[in-house]
Amino acid sequence: MEAVSFNLDRTTLTALSRVSKFSSKPTSNLFFSCPLTRSDSRRKRNFGLRIVGCLDKKRGVSEAKNGFLLAVNGDHLVKRVGRGVLGFAAAVSLCCDSPAFAESLTVAFPVSHTREVNTVQRTLVEAWGLIRETFIDPTFNHQDWDLKLQQTMVEMFPLRSEDAAYNKIKGMLSTLGDPFTRIISPKEYQSFRIGSDGNLQGVGLFVNVEPKTGHLVVLSCIENSPAARAGIHEGDELMEINGERLDGVASEAAAQKLRGRVGTTVTVKVHSVDDLGSSCIREVKIPREVIRLSPISSAIIPHKAPDGHLAKTGYVKLSTFSQTAAAEMENTVHEMESQGVQSYILDLRNNPGGLVKAGLDVAQIWLDGTETLVNTIDRDGNMIPISMIDGHAITHDPLVVLVNEGSASASEILAGALHDNGRAILVGHRTFGKGKIQSVTELHDGSALFVTVAKYLSPALHDIDQVGITPDVQCTTDFLNSPKDSFKNGSSDSSLESDSCILVAEHQLDVQESEGSAS
């Protein structure tokens, strides 16, 4: 899920300009650049989408007084939903903006009389238009994308529920053959934004359904959060929230119940088992607060260098690429530099990605000059290098990056940038292999559309998609588990010292230091 918003060399981003305009809230301008099948099929022309009214079988296309009107063009967006309209159909017109092309292409489809479904029909048109303009595959998986809109509208017409209508949109998107192009509900988008923004209003619990029992258990509790102060711990079972049983409730639905406005409270019934095996059930009332989610965990690991002196290695684990990731990474590295750290381990294991811009910003903390960070390939096959402008690294100390099969997307962009520019050695296991970038657009109803808009190659032009990045030094499978979050920021911990991949990384840092001394 990667948003394409780069504050780098803007001259390299011209070809992506048509993508970035969809990176915020929806616009009333839905224009499409598509090849015509008539006149000159090799030229591209701009089309405007217009749902022009109701189709009366006797009178043709017209605007009925009590009908449905949705006009989307360069000037305005108008929507009027009438009542009791029967036997009509809306019409979508694709009108060319060139006077040389006189014909307009019109497809007709029925407008639902169920208000909820009618709203989703509008969402369908929005999603269809964004994909038509920006999707990486201009053949839309070798199908007629205009016909797909018509078919989906017809299938949506008899439905009576919002969920069923959304499933039709999801079905249409699935035909693109790209699992990363998808639509999510307003609630799901809210959760996505929480992960990206780094803040939420709640109690500070991460919960999940235990597969074997189906019970809702606490995965982790944020330090100093309201839940932690209430004595809730990892492994506790949540039985009720505000008196409502949680049997069969999904983890996301439970998380939504725990969130709420700052200053309100939530009552949770918890089943706990202590270290001696004694269990108890208790109810606790927990206040909701602003919870800050830090993507950074850090520690300083002391170890003996080959020449016998005591060296300090800065360990930094980055769990996700949120909006705050680069700033927090920069602060952490500055603090470690002030404490005399002489080498670094950057742990990207099990980091699934996040914001592309965050990954590129983190890369610039470690790199100098005008290095290329990543190469993007647009829907027309044009390769666009994204490079720094006069970068200045915070530190030039030796660096090892830890990766594994859980390192994906923005993690792979960062690992590739640091490796291919000769800044870091990679240790661990082959990465996931997600070499695609998605734009994220909030639609009119609060849902969000993720569209794959570009592919990327590493600076050395290595294809990552479905291939991954092979590290310079591998750890065995037993060593691939990321260390637990049991250590406190800024201090060493036995869980780090017993992590064999970190031991391998320290060895590689010693080798780099020895080679540097020899030269």
Side-chain angles (χ1 to χ4, degrees), residues 208-222:
N208 196 26
V209 175
E210 212 286 321
K212 293 182 180 179
T213 64
H215 295 162
L216 198 68
V217 298
V218 176
L219 283 179
S220 63
C221 187
I222 297 174

Side-chain angles (χ1 to χ4, degrees), residues 24 80 89 95 113 116 123 156 255 262 278 319 323 377 423 456 495 512 518:
S24 59
R80 186 166 71 225
C95 307
H113 315 308
E116 292 80 7
T123 302
M156 195 178 287
V262 171
S278 300
S319 60
Q323 291 182 5
I377 300 177
R423 180 64 181 89
Y456 65 81
S495 65
Q512 289 187 56

Side-chain angles (χ1 to χ4, degrees), residues 152-153 172 230 264 307 326 329 333 355 409 418 422 431 493 502 515:
T152 306
M153 277 291 190
M172 180 184 76
T264 60
D307 61 4
M329 173 76 71
V333 174
L355 302 175
S409 201
L418 297 177
T431 61
D493 185 88
I502 291 180
E515 292 176 348

Side-chain angles (χ1 to χ4, degrees), residues 275-350:
D275 294 338
L276 300 177
S278 300
S279 66
C280 68
I281 296 176
R282 59 194 177 98
E283 272 193 356
V284 291
K285 183 176 289 188
I286 310 174
R288 295 185 175 103
E289 299 176 0
V290 174
I291 307 297
R292 186 170 178 269
L293 304 175
S294 176
I296 299 286
S297 299
S298 62
I300 294 178
I301 306 173
H303 71 285
K304 283 190 177 182
D307 61 4
H309 78 276
L310 186 64
K312 293 181 178 180
T313 296
Y315 170 85
V316 184
K317 179 172 177 59
L318 181 59
S319 60
T320 187
F321 290 90
S322 65
Q323 291 182 5
T324 65
E328 293 193 44
M329 173 76 71
E330 185 173 346
N331 292 337
T332 299
V333 174
H334 276 304
E335 177 64 23
M336 288 185 166
E337 286 290 293
S338 70
Q339 296 183 50
V341 165
Q342 299 156 311
S343 58
Y344 289 88
I345 297 172
L346 174 57
D347 193 347
L348 299 180
R349 290 176 294 177
N350 299 320

Side-chain angles (χ1 to χ4, degrees), residues 87-398:
F88 292 101
V92 172
S93 288
L94 298 178
C95 307
C96 183
D97 65 353
S98 170
F101 188 75
E103 284 189 87
S104 64
L105 305 177
T106 302
V107 294
F109 55 82
V111 173
S112 174
H113 315 308
T114 303
R115 183 171 183 175
E116 292 80 7
V117 176
N118 188 284
T119 300
V120 179
Q121 284 183 310
R122 178 182 171 186
T123 302
L124 167 63
V125 174
E126 276 189 285
W128 170 83
L130 287 165
I131 289 168
R132 197 174 198 268
E133 168 67 10
T134 64
F135 186 57
I136 184 65
D137 177 9
T139 73
F140 308 103
N141 199 21
H142 307 286
Q143 64 179 323
D144 187 332
W145 193 237
D146 298 347
L147 179 61
K148 200 67 187 176
L149 170 67
Q150 186 178 18
Q151 292 173 339
T152 306
M153 277 291 190
V154 171
E155 292 172 0
M156 195 178 287
F157 173 69
L159 302 179
R160 292 294 177 264
S161 74
E162 183 181 63
D163 288 344
Y166 265 110
N167 285 336
K168 288 299 179 183
I169 298 180
K170 293 176 180 178
M172 180 184 76
L173 300 182
S174 69
T175 66
L176 294 170
D178 175 34
F180 305 112
T181 295
R182 66 197 191 281
I183 191 170
I184 60 175
S185 69
K187 287 185 178 180
E188 291 172 317
Y189 182 50
Q190 182 183 14
S191 297
F192 168 81
R193 293 186 63 177
I194 287 170
S196 298
D197 295 344
N199 293 286
L200 63 84
Q201 296 182 24
V203 299
L205 285 179
F206 290 96
V207 297
N208 196 26
V209 175
E210 212 286 321
K212 293 182 180 179
T213 64
H215 295 162
L216 198 68
V217 298
V218 176
L219 283 179
S220 63
C221 187
I222 297 174
E223 188 175 359
N224 295 323
S225 67
R229 296 196 298 270
I232 297 179
H233 302 286
E234 177 182 344
D236 288 353
E237 177 192 347
L238 299 189
M239 302 176 67
E240 294 180 4
I241 297 177
N242 287 333
E244 181 181 343
R245 294 284 301 176
L246 297 177
D247 299 330
V249 175
S251 57
E252 178 53 40
Q256 289 286 344
K257 296 177 187 296
L258 292 170
R259 297 176 193 139
R261 295 192 312 275
V262 171
T264 60
T265 61
V266 59
T267 301
V268 180
K269 181 178 284 188
V270 185
H271 178 209
S272 304
V273 178
D274 62 23
D275 294 338
L276 300 177
S278 300
S279 66
C280 68
I281 296 176
R282 59 194 177 98
E283 272 193 356
V284 291
K285 183 176 289 188
I286 310 174
R288 295 185 175 103
E289 299 176 0
V290 174
I291 307 297
R292 186 170 178 269
L293 304 175
S294 176
I296 299 286
S297 299
S298 62
I300 294 178
I301 306 173
H303 71 285
K304 283 190 177 182
D307 61 4
H309 78 276
L310 186 64
K312 293 181 178 180
T313 296
Y315 170 85
V316 184
K317 179 172 177 59
L318 181 59
S319 60
T320 187
F321 290 90
S322 65
Q323 291 182 5
T324 65
E328 293 193 44
M329 173 76 71
E330 185 173 346
N331 292 337
T332 299
V333 174
H334 276 304
E335 177 64 23
M336 288 185 166
E337 286 290 293
S338 70
Q339 296 183 50
V341 165
Q342 299 156 311
S343 58
Y344 289 88
I345 297 172
L346 174 57
D347 193 347
L348 299 180
R349 290 176 294 177
N350 299 320
N351 181 330
L355 302 175
V356 171
K357 180 183 181 299
L360 299 177
D361 287 345
V362 170
Q364 295 179 83
I365 293 173
W366 305 94
L367 291 168
D368 286 318
T370 58
E371 303 287 7
T372 295
L373 302 178
V374 69
N375 296 288
T376 65
I377 300 177
D378 65 16
R379 66 189 290 173
D380 297 319
N382 301 313
M383 188 170 73
I384 309 160
I386 298 177
S387 304
M388 298 191 305
I389 300 176
D390 192 25
H392 297 281
I394 294 176
T395 177
H396 297 92
D397 291 334

Side-chain angles (χ1 to χ4, degrees), residues 1 3 17 28 56 99 192 227 238 287 298 370-371 444 480 508 513:
M1 304 173 281
S17 62
S28 61
D56 187 313
F192 168 81
L238 299 189
S298 62
T370 58
E371 303 287 7
H444 79 283
L480 291 178
Q508 291 301 315
E513 184 179 347

